[in-house]
Amino acid sequence: MTEIMDGEAVAAGLRDKLRSSIETLADHGERPGLATVLMSDDPASQTYVNMKQKDCEEVGIEGINVELDPESSPQELYDTIDDLNADPDVNGILIQQPLPDYVNSRAVIRHVDPIKDVEAMHPENIGRFVAGYARFRPCTPFGVQHLLEEYDIDTQGWDVTIVGHSDIVGKPLANLMVQKQEGPDGSAGEPHATVTICHVETQNLEEKTRNADVVIVATGVPELIDGSMISEGTVVIDVGINQVEADNEKGYELVGDVDFESAKEKASYITPVPGGVGAMTRAMLLYNTVKATSIQTGIDVELPSFCKGGIPPYTPEAQTHHPAEPADQ
Amino acid sequence: MTTIIDGNAVADDIKADLESSIDALADAGIKPGLATVLMSDDPASETYVSMKQRDCEEVGIEGIHVEIDPDAPAEELYDTIDDLNSDPEVHGILVQMPVADHVDDREVIRRIDPVKDVDGFHPENVGRLVAGHDRYRPCTPHGVQKLLEAYDIETEGKDVTVVGRSNIVGKPLANLLLQKADDGNATVTVCHSRTQDTAAKTRNADIVVAAVGVPELIDGDMITEDTVVIDVGVNRVDADNEKGYELVGDVDYDSVEEKASHITPVPGGVGPMTRAMLLYNTVKAAGIQKDVDVDLH
């Protein structure tokens, strides 16, 4: 019997828990603030930003949206980020990608104060979670991790094949899944998986997916992985969202990187598209914003525990200077 | 016919190549400087530091050595790092690990100015490497890449199994090899103590890198014919000789050598490369900080 993983429901549960964390902050007179920065007139980017703003509103996070003319200078973007970095009401900063071609997006990411980098794209934040003391985890990989945990899928010692090596999903997810941090009671804690990372240069991809206990696909190639490429009982996580032409009113439909119908026949668990990972990504952004607020204000909030084995919620210690705050485990 | 990879020879080539970069810096009135910081009375750590200092001297890098009493408060180490961070003659800082137990080594690593972090362990440098815009590659993984390159072993499309997930070797090496780059593009599998059936993963690999610190863990049964085997381990095991010990790798050399297409010996394989890449990073650091084109490959 294949279980369809309900990302919407797990995300809703997480948002409920976050509301109580936000109430704790409110008791101390603090309201988390998330700034979204849009420098594009792409309708899809506009939609993403609107969705994030709506998510904020729903749980009680102050959403601040800054729009910059796509024709404006990179300096204007840097100045905007400087202002947000310095604004005590802004706890998290999200720069909607892609930026215009003439803007160096790596330099932009590095310009965000790492302590407000709720996307965990700043090199300092990447380096921290790779080394096993994460401050923030990138939203999509973190969402996948949380989804697995909610379905009691303990990946310890399992073979996990990740298809895709993007900066926002494949690479950080691989680095999260191999982590070895023990739980406080000696339990597994972090995923402890044996990870294989595949991509466009990989030979015999189907051999790598068939040998896996968990297959996570994040390539942006519609329905790349079908039922013939996985073994019975595999957990299949589909990160892709692709718009493909369809004979319907809209003229298109959304499909994942997995051929859902054929994979479902064999999978033990599978995420649908939409309603799977996408919902989790959005919820984890809220989580990170609440966590950022806790770190910056020094107010101890109980964040939903997300690691199997009872890793305790993050507890901020006295903050003296930026580099000194503690890890989240 | 198995090729024995000669790490000493490749390391010598790298050091020879650094000469012209060091000359270019000299023309601009700059001598690269590497500070080593030792806060330990462990004889092995002392040996490592003196080897690094000797390497510096050999190629014309100014070696600065600072020793801190292992019983001193952590603040003393931080103050030392702060001084080195602001010293314009110091381009690279290496804090010999492990430091004393009462000192938080993560905090120490974060204290080093990332632009002088020639070990490549500062989170900012780790993050850059993962995201594909590296500043300094950690010495051992970079050394492994250079060895493969020197022997014309391409990684693109190859199945590489990395055994070990340490912060200094396994994780950064896996991240380097999976990059979209000429010296990456490999399909990487990372195995570790929780892995079930490591042998299945090493047998399926074109290249096996062992970096676990378990003497002779990988034997001939665990690899297939024509595999490239890179042994990062250096383990001291009891032996019936004058010293009372010998050095062995994480690979059972004799049984693996029969099947491998290439193999690194221990010692004389990856070890000298690690040392050479520290010099490389120090020269690169001087170039970055003084804005001199040191033309490193």
Side-chain angles (χ1 to χ4, degrees):
Chain A
M1 186 54 203
T2 303
E3 187 154 0
I4 312 292
M5 299 172 91
D6 188 345
E8 296 285 356
V10 174
L14 182 66
R15 284 195 300 267
D16 277 344
K17 292 180 196 155
L18 287 175
R19 277 191 201 94
S20 72
S21 310
I22 291 167
E23 276 169 28
T24 307
L25 289 166
D27 291 344
H28 292 81
E30 296 287 346
R31 185 178 184 194
L34 175 69
T36 53
V37 179
L38 179 67
M39 188 178 183
S40 163
D41 44 21
D42 171 39
S45 289
Q46 184 77 59
T47 306
Y48 293 141
V49 164
N50 291 345
M51 275 167 26
K52 288 163 189 168
Q53 288 292 336
K54 208 174 73 206
D55 290 343
C56 284
E57 197 179 331
E58 196 198 318
V59 297
I61 291 173
E62 179 77 28
I64 304 112
N65 185 34
V66 183
E67 292 198 16
L68 292 176
D69 187 326
E71 314 270 294
S72 53
S73 70
Q75 193 53 50
E76 207 163 320
L77 177 57
Y78 290 127
D79 291 345
T80 300
I81 296 172
D82 285 339
D83 290 346
L84 296 171
N85 282 342
D87 186 341
D89 291 331
V90 172
N91 307 108
I93 301 171
L94 178 144
I95 315 288
Q96 184 65 45
Q97 305 281 351
L99 293 165
D101 289 343
Y102 59 86
V103 179
N104 178 344
S105 65
R106 282 176 174 161
V108 169
I109 289 166
R110 287 201 300 267
H111 210 78
V112 175
D113 184 342
I115 213 162
K116 296 190 174 185
D117 167 42
V118 287
E119 288 191 289
M121 296 296 286
H122 190 289
E124 187 189 313
N125 286 323
I126 299 172
R128 277 174 176 259
F129 71 71
V130 171
Y133 58 115
R135 177 192 276 145
F136 305 118
R137 296 164 192 235
C139 300
T140 301
F142 192 12
V144 169
Q145 202 181 354
H146 189 61
L147 196 56
L148 291 169
E149 283 153 5
E150 283 292 311
Y151 280 86
D152 288 327
I153 298 165
D154 183 351
T155 54
Q156 185 179 177
W158 282 19
D159 292 338
V160 175
T161 292
I162 296 170
V163 189
H165 59 164
S166 71
D167 285 338
I168 61 167
V169 187
K171 287 186 201 170
L173 187 56
N175 281 290
L176 287 179
M177 295 304 289
V178 297
Q179 289 297 328
K180 60 183 157 192
Q181 194 76 41
E182 301 280 327
D185 51 358
S187 55
E190 294 280 7
H192 276 296
T194 302
V195 177
T196 299
I197 306 102
C198 300
H199 44 75
V200 67
E201 303 289 348
T202 295
Q203 316 276 321
N204 301 323
L205 176 62
E206 64 286 350
E207 179 190 301
K208 276 81 178 174
T209 51
R210 277 191 208 122
N211 282 339
D213 303 305
V214 181
V215 174
I216 306 170
V217 193
T219 56
V221 180
E223 302 179 329
L224 174 71
I225 305 297
D226 65 24
S228 73
M229 296 175 73
I230 62 163
S231 307
E232 288 288 339
T234 306
V235 177
V236 179
I237 308 286
D238 189 353
V239 180
I241 303 182
N242 310 289
Q243 203 163 301
V244 295
E245 282 180 31
D247 190 14
N248 61 18
E249 204 175 306
K250 289 186 200 159
Y252 70 88
E253 61 177 357
L254 295 179
V255 300
D257 293 354
V258 172
D259 176 36
F260 186 81
E261 292 307 325
S262 65
K264 190 181 69 157
E265 299 291 313
K266 286 173 147 183
S268 57
Y269 294 85
I270 188 167
T271 58
V273 174
V277 175
M280 294 304 300
T281 299
R282 289 165 60 183
M284 298 334 278
L285 178 65
L286 306 176
Y287 178 104
N288 281 348
T289 303
V290 173
K291 182 172 179 179
T293 310
S294 172
I295 293 173
Q296 289 159 42
T297 59
I299 298 166
D300 186 2
V301 298
E302 193 171 325
L303 282 164
S305 169
F306 55 84
C307 276
K308 291 196 69 65
I311 296 260
Y314 171 80
T315 315
E317 293 168 9
Q319 302 296 307
T320 47
H321 57 287
H322 275 182
E325 36 48 59
D328 72 352
Q329 292 106 26
Chain B
M1 187 56 202
T2 303
T3 303
I4 315 293
I5 293 180
D6 187 346
N8 284 313
V10 180
D12 284 344
D13 287 346
I14 286 172
K15 282 187 273 190
D17 283 348
L18 286 177
E19 259 175 47
S20 64
S21 306
I22 291 170
D23 287 347
L25 286 163
D27 289 345
I30 297 148
K31 186 177 188 188
L34 174 69
T36 55
V37 182
L38 179 68
M39 188 181 186
S40 162
D41 43 21
D42 173 37
S45 290
E46 281 170 18
T47 306
Y48 293 142
V49 164
S50 54
M51 275 167 26
K52 288 163 188 170
Q53 286 292 337
R54 214 172 52 221
D55 291 341
C56 285
E57 199 178 331
E58 187 193 327
V59 298
I61 291 174
E62 183 73 29
I64 302 111
H65 182 57
V66 185
E67 289 198 18
I68 296 171
D69 186 330
D71 294 325
E75 272 312 318
E76 202 168 317
L77 177 56
Y78 298 150
D79 290 346
T80 300
I81 294 172
D82 290 345
D83 289 346
L84 296 170
N85 282 341
S86 57
D87 185 340
E89 315 253 299
V90 171
H91 307 107
I93 301 171
L94 179 146
V95 179
Q96 183 65 44
M97 294 290 167
V99 288
D101 284 345
H102 63 279
V103 181
D104 176 357
D105 55 359
R106 287 173 172 166
E107 171 91 42
V108 169
I109 289 167
R110 288 202 302 271
R111 192 86 179 199
I112 299 170
D113 182 343
V115 91
K116 297 190 174 186
D117 166 44
V118 286
D119 265 332
F121 295 156
H122 188 289
E124 187 188 311
N125 287 323
V126 176
R128 279 172 171 262
L129 180 151
V130 171
H133 53 125
D134 57 87
R135 180 191 274 142
Y136 306 118
R137 299 182 181 197
C139 302
T140 301
H142 197 188
V144 170
Q145 284 188 300
K146 289 285 184 187
L147 273 184
L148 294 173
E149 186 189 307
Y151 283 83
D152 291 324
I153 300 163
E154 294 198 358
T155 54
E156 182 162 308
K158 299 281 182 63
D159 291 342
V160 180
T161 295
V162 177
V163 188
R165 55 175 163 171
S166 69
N167 285 330
I168 61 170
V169 187
K171 286 185 201 169
L173 182 59
N175 278 291
L176 285 168
L177 292 175
L178 64 83
Q179 294 297 325
K180 298 161 190 132
D182 289 343
D183 55 0
N185 280 332
T187 302
V188 180
T189 299
V190 184
C191 299
H192 45 75
S193 55
R194 306 292 175 98
T195 295
Q196 293 169 12
D197 203 359
T198 300
K201 277 79 179 171
T202 51
R203 281 191 202 116
N204 279 337
D206 303 306
I207 301 172
V208 173
V209 183
V212 280
V214 179
E216 302 178 330
L217 176 73
I218 309 295
D219 65 22
D221 282 343
M222 295 175 71
I223 64 155
T224 38
E225 291 286 339
D226 293 332
T227 305
V228 175
V229 180
I230 306 290
D231 189 353
V232 179
V234 182
N235 310 288
R236 203 185 262 215
V237 296
D238 288 337
D240 191 15
N241 61 17
E242 204 174 304
K243 290 186 200 157
Y245 69 88
E246 60 178 357
L247 295 179
V248 300
D250 293 350
V251 171
D252 176 36
Y253 187 85
D254 290 333
S255 65
V256 170
E257 196 236 329
E258 313 223 329
K259 287 170 140 185
S261 67
H262 297 75
I263 186 169
T264 59
V266 174
V270 176
M273 294 301 296
T274 300
R275 290 164 61 184
M277 297 329 288
L278 176 66
L279 306 175
Y280 177 104
N281 279 350
T282 303
V283 171
K284 183 172 184 183
I288 292 175
Q289 288 159 54
K290 301 298 183 184
D291 201 17
V292 174
D293 183 4
V294 291
D295 193 27
L296 288 167
H297 165 57

